[in-house]
């Protein structure tokens, strides 16, 4: 009798421990925050739990607090244990009743002792029954543990554990001794798996699970919790300080796990548009009134993820496949040098690769103008040109003079005749002298050689220019600074004639701005080549035919103000040439008189 | 002692999938039969969206990896064949030593037969190989469909293991106390189809004769 009582007590203990272990295994594999708490504990059981952890030869670590503190387990071994795993919608605005109704059950685990107890056996067989009960319970727990990882809900559990994003649903549980059975309609959506019963002295221990074969019916996606807010201090807005440094590199931000910051590091204090102070009605839901809340919100930024953004939708779909981590989405949005003020956008999974590796001041590029681009340098298409230092005053003046030249195309230079060859060579000599006193001569020469036109580039790599470059060997351009071997002595003898013709051309262009430009074009077209007049006339005709369309379009696109400025520059050049010619005329006269 | 035999569903695998599939199946079986103290370790398959459980015992892991290597070497020599790996649990019995009989006798009480059909890419018909147009797209689609089918088959096999391991428990010997990991001795044998169509049959019959009470449950 005593042995019978002892075996009953042992069996009762086996059943109660089995129920506790079952609940532990289910919650650890279904409830993300309990899993996270267990992971923080290191996985190994505390000393006070080690003995209990050895039950059924399955060490699961410390039990979750709800189990440890009691209250969840049934009071008697004959009471069933029903664990419902539910999807709780995150919409807090719903009422309690509505919320309860909106919590669909995805799994229902049931463990209970059923059927009348078998006839009491003798003492010898009782111990055998106890050992058999324990052995079979071990195997049953192994099977339950494996099955927990094969059911569909496990994938969603892993998704929630892997990312710090919040979804529109959360996995929660309900433990009870009794649960309302599913309706017929509901049961159709469930599949049933029952484990083989384990015979005990109190009846057969049955474990079964009703689960949904698929969770596709639930629109599981990343949720946006915060209400939309407006961001006033976006990058590029007048309110921001453009010289403020950006936060640290992506490696520092995204690689490390989120740490709740109580010291409020400086990078979180900067009122970036993605971190900042409460800005109402912004779709990204960014807010925070103080540095510490900003940090927390920044760390929890994914919670305000906007699922409408395509990059985020793509990421959410990747999560459904279970193979994506959202760690990189804790980063700030990518650096944008766009001139148009727009809220920062998240660039998707590659966002971290788009961020600069170093902090850099933000420079808002100005609206591009022909003049400013010409001043800045050769490669106008290079966005880094925005950060080029401004040209020195001398070079600016020289750039003006270079810019004034009708240098939109090399064809203009090619079309010059011998008449203006001396004129331009003198001007060229002036420019050369200016060049020697400059610091950024290289850039200026690039401007000069390519004519200072953004359209046709300062680069010599354009196809049109490359065709013209083929003639460089035979042709020297008056504006090419590198062509230092232009024989000034050949052209200077005709300085007087060219100078007078030049002044007349400019006098006529004073009538109107457009007329001035037209006259200038005409003058350049009709000017003889610098070296070989016969060759230039042949080549200029062919190239004029080919390039006239280009040049006309070039001039059409130029603004009137640019032409006016050019006119002014030409006037200055005229003055210089006139003064030079006067000086040259006076010198021979003086020599003769001497 | 009865020898329970579980014939698992045949799985078609490509060469590079052999290791993952065998790991998944062998570890799942051993997790159900290594009844010593274990600290379960969840492992995500690299090729499939399946998580299986390992015992966390380095000895078991090493033994499985060695056998998988041996199996792959055999498959390399004889590609495109149906092969079988058997995981058997036995009990040892000391016998009276004699001139021709060994001292220790193995009494097999359970055998799991894993059936693999290793596909050989070279065995594709030439008409497929000669289609250059859309070959890449077709190959990708075939790979995807094969991968999905294989994952489904693998899940079925795992469910089959769980079901069998739970239904057949009476034949298990008593669990040794204070033992960690594999509580029962086991062996993994490779049976290929080159050893004739009754290759595995002969091996199972041999064990049945040794146990004295043949029982075939698949």
């Amino acid at each position: 009798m005593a042995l019978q009582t002892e075996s009953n007590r042992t069996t009762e203990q086996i059943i109660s421990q089995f129920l506790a272990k079952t609940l532990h295994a289910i919650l650890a594999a279904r409830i993300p925050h309990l899993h996270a708490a267990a992971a923080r504990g290191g996985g190994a059981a505390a000393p006070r739990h080690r003995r209990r952890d050895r039950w059924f030869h399955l060490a699961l670590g410390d039990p979750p607090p709800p189990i440890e503190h009691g209250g969840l387990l049934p009071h008697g071994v004959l009471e069933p244990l029903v664990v419902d795993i539910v999807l709780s919608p995150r919409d807090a605005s719903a009422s309690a009743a509505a919320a309860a109704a909106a919590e669909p059950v995805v799994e229902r685990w049931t463990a209970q002792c059923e059927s009348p107890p078998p006839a009491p056996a003798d003492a010898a067989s009782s111990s055998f029954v106890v050992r058999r009960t324990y052995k079979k319970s071990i195997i049953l727990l192994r099977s339950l543990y494996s099955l927990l990882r094969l059911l569909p809900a496990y994938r969603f559990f892993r998704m929630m554990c892997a990312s710090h994003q919040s979804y529109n649903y959360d996995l929660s549980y309900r433990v009870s001794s009794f649960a309302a059975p599913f309706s017929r309609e509901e049961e159709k959506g469930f599949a049933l798996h029952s484990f083989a019963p384990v015979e005990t002295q109190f009846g057969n221990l049955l474990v079964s699970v009703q689960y949904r074969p698929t969770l596709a019916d639930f629109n599981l996606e990343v949720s946006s919790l915060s209400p939309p807010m407006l961001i006033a201090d976006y990058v590029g807005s007048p309110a921001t300080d453009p010289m403020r440094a950006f936060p640290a590199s992506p490696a520092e931000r995204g690689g490390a796990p989120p740490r709740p910051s109580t010291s409020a590091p400086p990078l979180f204090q900067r009122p970036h548009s993605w971190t900042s102070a409460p800005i109402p009605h912004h779709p990204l839901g960014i807010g925070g009134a103080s540095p510490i809340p900003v940090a927390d919100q920044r760390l929890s930024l994914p919670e305000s993820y906007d699922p409408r953004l395509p990059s985020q939708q793509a990421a959410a779909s990747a999560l459904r496949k279970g193979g994506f981590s959202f760690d990189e989405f804790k980063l700030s949005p990518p650096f944008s040098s766009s001139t148009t003020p727009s809220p920062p956008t998240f660039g998707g999974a590659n966002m971290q690769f788009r961020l600069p590796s170093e902090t850099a001041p933000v420079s808002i590029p100005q609206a591009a103008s022909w003049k400013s681009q010409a001043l800045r340098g050769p490669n106008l298409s290079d966005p880094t040109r925005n950060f080029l230092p401004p040209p020195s005053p001398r070079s600016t003046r020289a750039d003006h003079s270079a810019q004034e030249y009708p240098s939109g195309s090399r064809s203009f230079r090619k079309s010059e005749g011998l008449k203006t060859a001396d004129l331009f060579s003198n001007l060229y000599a002036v420019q050369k002298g200016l060049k020697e006193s400059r610091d950024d001569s290289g850039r200026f020469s690039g401007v000069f050689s390519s004519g200072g036109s953004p359209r046709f580039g300062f680069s010599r790599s354009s196809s049109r220019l490359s065709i013209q470059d083929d003639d460089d060997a035979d042709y020297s351009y008056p504006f090419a600074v590198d062509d230092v071997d232009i024989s000034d002595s050949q052209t200077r003898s005709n300085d007087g004639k060219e100078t007078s013709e030049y002044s007349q051309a400019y006098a006529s262009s004073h009538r109107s701005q457009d007329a001035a430009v037209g006259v200038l074009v005409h003058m350049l077209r009709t000017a003889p080549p610098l070296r070989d007049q016969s060759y230039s006339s042949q080549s200029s005709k062919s190239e004029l035919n080919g390039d006239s369309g280009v040049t006309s379009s070039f001039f059409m696109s130029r603004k009137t103000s640019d032409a006016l400025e050019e006119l002014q520059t030409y006037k200055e050049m005229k003055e210089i040439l006139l003064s030079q010619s006067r000086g040259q005329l006076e010198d021979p006269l003086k020599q003769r008189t001497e | 002692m009865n020898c329970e035999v579980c014939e698992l569903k045949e799985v078609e695998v490509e060469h590079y999938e052999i290791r993952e599939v065998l790991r998944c199946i062998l570890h799942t079986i051993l997790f159900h039969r290594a009844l010593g103290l274990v600290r379960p370790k969840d492992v995500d398959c690299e090729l499939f969206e399946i998580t299986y459980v390992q015992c966390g015992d380095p000895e078991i892991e090493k033994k499985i990896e060695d056998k998988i290597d041996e199996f792959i070497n055999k498959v390399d020599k004889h590609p495109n064949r149906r092969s079988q790996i058997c995981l058997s649990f036995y009990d040892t019995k000391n016998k009276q030593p004699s001139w021709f009989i060994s001292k220790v006798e193995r009494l097999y009480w359970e055998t799991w037969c894993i059936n693999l059909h290793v596909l050989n890419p070279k065995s594709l018909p030439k008409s497929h190989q000669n289609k250059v147009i859309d070959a890449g797209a077709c190959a990708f689609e075939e790979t995807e469909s094969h991968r999905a089918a294989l994952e489904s088959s693998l899940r079925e096999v795992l469910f089959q293991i769980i079901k069998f391991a739970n239904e057949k428990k009476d034949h298990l010997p008593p669990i040794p106390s204070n033992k960690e990991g594999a509580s029962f001795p086991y062996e993994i044998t490779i049976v290929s189809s080159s050893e004739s169509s009754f290759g595995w049959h002969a091996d199972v019959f041999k064990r049945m004769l040794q146990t004295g009470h043949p029982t075939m449950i698949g």
Side-chain angles (χ1 to χ4, degrees):
Chain A
M1 189 64 181
L3 288 173
Q4 188 76 19
T5 308
E6 183 66 27
S7 66
N8 285 346
R9 241 199 320 270
T10 307
T11 303
E12 192 174 334
Q13 198 176 17
I14 290 172
I15 295 173
S16 63
Q17 291 293 333
F18 177 84
L19 295 177
K21 207 86 169 184
T22 298
L23 186 60
H24 184 176
I26 293 171
L27 296 184
R30 288 294 183 269
I31 310 304
H33 67 269
L34 293 179
H35 172 80
R40 281 195 295 271
R48 66 181 184 279
H49 293 136
R50 277 178 195 161
R51 189 169 179 181
R52 189 163 63 177
D53 206 24
R54 295 177 67 91
W55 272 91
F56 307 101
H57 296 178
L58 191 66
L60 300 181
D62 287 335
I67 299 175
E68 189 175 359
H69 301 319
L72 284 181
L73 293 170
H75 298 292
V77 296
L78 295 179
E79 270 189 49
L81 172 68
V82 180
V83 183
D84 283 344
I85 304 298
V86 300
L87 283 177
S88 307
R90 283 186 170 253
D91 185 9
S93 61
S95 63
E103 286 184 349
V105 176
V106 294
E107 286 179 357
R108 174 170 285 175
W109 297 82
T110 307
Q112 59 182 343
C113 275
E114 280 192 354
S115 76
D122 56 5
S125 60
S126 295
S127 62
F128 171 77
V129 170
V130 170
R131 284 197 301 273
R132 185 185 65 184
T133 299
Y134 189 64
K135 180 179 75 175
K136 292 187 177 181
S137 301
I138 293 174
I139 300 171
L140 176 56
L141 262 176
R142 305 286 176 103
S143 299
L144 184 144
Y145 194 91
S146 293
L147 188 67
L148 276 166
R149 279 135 186 87
L150 290 178
L151 297 181
Y154 183 71
R155 280 186 62 191
F156 181 55
F157 163 77
R158 288 294 299 271
M159 283 164 52
M160 294 189 67
C161 289
S163 83
H164 296 281
Q165 292 285 345
S166 64
Y167 288 80
N168 52 347
Y169 284 100
D170 195 6
L171 279 172
S172 59
Y173 64 96
R174 288 195 295 255
V175 180
S176 61
S177 297
F178 172 80
F182 295 122
S183 63
R184 282 190 180 181
E185 287 297 318
E186 286 175 328
E187 271 200 22
K188 290 178 184 177
F190 283 92
L192 174 66
H193 182 94
S194 296
F195 295 93
V198 174
E199 302 88 4
T200 73
Q201 291 177 327
F202 296 99
N204 291 331
L205 182 59
L206 295 172
V207 178
S208 64
V209 57
Q210 287 174 289
Y211 64 96
R212 292 185 186 266
T214 175
L215 297 180
D217 296 336
F218 306 99
N219 192 16
L220 302 170
E221 58 184 13
V222 178
S223 68
S224 169
L225 292 181
S226 306
M229 294 187 292
L230 282 174
I231 299 175
D233 63 339
Y234 49 82
V235 174
S237 78
T240 53
D241 180 2
M243 295 311 294
R244 276 195 179 184
F246 270 86
S249 65
E252 295 176 10
R253 279 199 307 267
R259 297 184 295 275
S261 169
T262 55
S263 59
L267 68 92
F268 293 115
Q269 291 176 353
R270 180 184 179 204
H272 289 302
S273 54
W274 55 89
T275 61
S276 59
I279 298 165
H281 308 300
H282 188 270
L284 292 182
I286 298 159
S290 66
I292 293 176
V294 164
D296 292 341
Q297 289 208 6
R298 188 161 186 273
L299 292 174
S300 64
L301 178 63
E303 293 185 0
S304 57
Y305 219 68
D306 188 352
R308 293 167 292 177
L309 293 175
S311 61
Q312 299 176 12
Q313 288 175 354
S317 64
L319 257 191
R320 290 192 200 102
K321 297 178 184 177
F324 199 75
S325 170
F326 269 87
D327 287 343
E328 48 264 31
F329 284 92
K330 294 182 290 183
L331 302 175
S332 60
F335 166 71
S336 171
S337 61
S338 170
T339 56
T340 60
S342 61
T345 59
F346 290 92
N350 295 325
M351 192 175 75
Q352 61 179 340
F353 300 107
R354 293 171 57 191
L355 286 167
S357 58
E358 300 174 353
T359 58
V362 178
S363 172
I364 301 166
Q366 303 297 324
S369 65
W370 184 86
K371 178 183 177 181
S372 59
Q373 287 174 354
L375 286 173
R376 284 202 173 127
N379 281 326
L380 298 171
S381 60
D382 185 2
T384 59
R385 80 177 65 186
N386 295 331
F387 304 101
L388 289 173
S392 60
R394 285 185 179 178
S395 63
T396 304
R397 189 178 61 188
D399 281 342
H400 274 285
S401 53
Q403 175 182 333
E404 301 302 303
Y405 259 95
S407 49
S409 158
R410 291 173 182 264
S411 63
F412 288 100
R413 288 174 245 128
K414 281 202 163 184
S415 61
E416 292 170 2
L418 280 174
K419 286 186 177 179
T420 55
D422 295 338
L423 167 69
F424 288 117
S425 66
N426 287 335
L427 174 64
Y428 186 72
V430 169
Q431 300 301 332
K432 184 182 173 186
L434 290 173
K435 171 196 169 185
E436 289 171 356
S437 59
R438 269 191 326 269
D439 295 330
D440 51 349
S441 58
R443 184 160 58 88
F444 180 79
S445 68
V447 172
F448 214 31
S449 62
S450 61
S453 164
R455 181 164 293 273
F456 293 92
F458 295 97
S459 160
R460 298 168 68 105
S461 61
S462 66
S463 58
R464 195 179 302 282
L465 294 176
S466 63
I467 295 171
Q468 299 169 1
D469 288 344
D470 294 339
D471 298 327
D472 275 353
D474 298 326
Y475 222 85
S476 60
Y477 297 92
F479 311 117
V481 176
D482 296 334
D483 294 336
V484 295
D485 56 345
I486 292 172
S487 54
D488 296 338
S489 60
Q490 294 178 5
T491 57
R492 281 183 187 180
S493 60
N494 296 325
D495 277 349
K497 290 183 181 178
E498 274 74 32
T499 305
S500 60
E501 288 177 358
Y502 186 80
S503 60
Q504 286 173 7
Y506 267 86
S508 61
S509 66
H510 192 65
R511 294 165 199 157
S512 68
Q513 299 170 359
D514 291 340
V517 171
V519 166
L520 191 60
V521 170
H522 176 74
M523 182 182 71
L524 290 173
R525 282 182 181 179
T526 56
L530 288 174
R531 283 185 178 174
D532 186 359
Q533 189 174 8
S534 60
Y535 178 80
S536 66
S537 61
Q538 292 172 6
S539 58
S540 64
K541 283 178 188 175
S542 59
E543 292 193 4
L544 270 176
N545 293 334
D547 297 339
S548 59
V550 174
T551 54
S552 60
S553 64
F554 166 72
F555 277 100
M556 288 291 289
S557 65
R558 294 179 53 186
K559 296 181 181 176
T560 306
S561 59
D562 296 334
L564 188 60
E565 289 171 2
E566 201 172 276
L567 174 64
Q568 295 294 335
T569 311
Y570 279 123
K571 282 189 177 176
E572 292 173 9
M573 285 163 52
K574 167 197 164 186
E575 299 297 331
I576 295 169
L577 289 169
L578 286 175
S579 62
Q580 278 185 352
S581 63
R582 285 191 210 108
Q584 287 176 356
L585 285 171
E586 287 170 5
D587 285 340
L589 286 174
K590 282 182 183 174
Q591 289 175 359
R592 284 176 191 168
T593 53
E594 289 172 0
Chain B
M1 187 183 294
N2 298 334
C3 179
E4 302 285 352
V5 178
C6 178
E7 193 79 25
L8 295 174
K9 178 188 170 187
E10 185 181 79
V11 177
E12 284 188 355
V13 296
E14 294 192 14
H15 190 278
Y16 69 96
E17 295 166 337
I18 293 174
R19 186 173 295 275
E20 275 296 300
V21 169
L22 286 179
R23 276 177 184 164
C24 185
I25 295 174
L26 288 170
H27 278 287
T28 302
I29 295 171
L30 275 168
F31 181 67
H32 284 82
R33 288 294 185 253
L35 301 183
L37 177 65
V38 297
R39 285 166 183 81
K41 185 169 78 170
D42 296 343
V43 177
D44 298 327
C45 287
E46 293 176 3
L47 302 176
F48 316 105
E49 289 181 349
I50 293 176
T51 301
Y52 64 96
V53 188
Q54 292 184 2
C55 297
D57 187 340
E59 285 184 21
I60 294 176
E61 290 175 26
K62 185 180 182 312
K63 198 166 180 178
I64 289 177
E65 290 299 314
D66 291 341
K67 276 298 170 182
I68 292 175
D69 292 337
E70 186 183 328
F71 179 81
I72 290 175
N73 289 334
K74 271 195 175 182
V75 166
D76 290 339
K77 293 175 186 175
H78 307 283
N80 198 25
R81 287 192 179 183
R82 284 178 165 77
S83 304
Q84 194 177 62
I85 288 188
C86 292
L87 172 56
S88 303
F89 297 91
Y90 59 90
D91 205 358
T92 55
K93 181 180 175 182
N94 291 326
K95 287 183 76 175
Q96 282 287 342
S98 68
W99 290 104
F100 304 105
I101 301 174
S102 59
K103 193 175 179 180
V104 177
E105 187 183 0
R106 289 184 175 183
L107 300 174
Y108 294 90
W109 49 267
E110 192 173 83
T111 297
W112 298 78
C113 299
I114 305 165
N115 298 297
L116 293 181
H117 181 194
V118 183
L119 301 172
N120 187 2
K122 297 177 184 177
S123 63
L124 287 172
K126 285 189 178 179
S127 60
H128 284 267
Q129 294 175 0
N130 291 334
K131 285 184 181 176
V132 178
I133 301 174
D134 294 334
C138 290
F140 179 75
E141 287 176 3
E142 287 174 4
T143 303
E144 287 296 307
S145 64
H146 162 77
R147 183 70 61 81
L150 176 56
E151 185 175 320
S152 175
S153 296
L154 192 54
R155 282 185 183 273
E156 287 183 32
V157 168
L158 297 180
F159 271 96
Q160 194 179 357
I161 293 170
I162 292 172
K163 183 170 180 283
F164 185 88
N166 251 263
E167 288 177 354
K168 307 296 176 185
K169 293 180 277 199
D170 294 323
H171 62 287
L172 267 68
I175 302 171
S177 57
N178 298 327
K179 194 161 175 89
E180 294 195 5
S183 54
F184 309 116
Y186 64 96
E187 69 176 11
I188 303 174
T189 53
I190 299 169
V191 180
S192 66
S193 63
S194 61
E195 297 179 5
S196 77
S197 58
F198 48 81
W200 75 268
H201 291 283
D203 189 56
V204 172
F205 277 129
K206 176 184 170 185
R207 290 173 188 169
M208 285 160 50
L209 289 171
Q210 285 176 348
T211 59
H213 297 280
T215 304
M216 291 279 294
I217 299 174

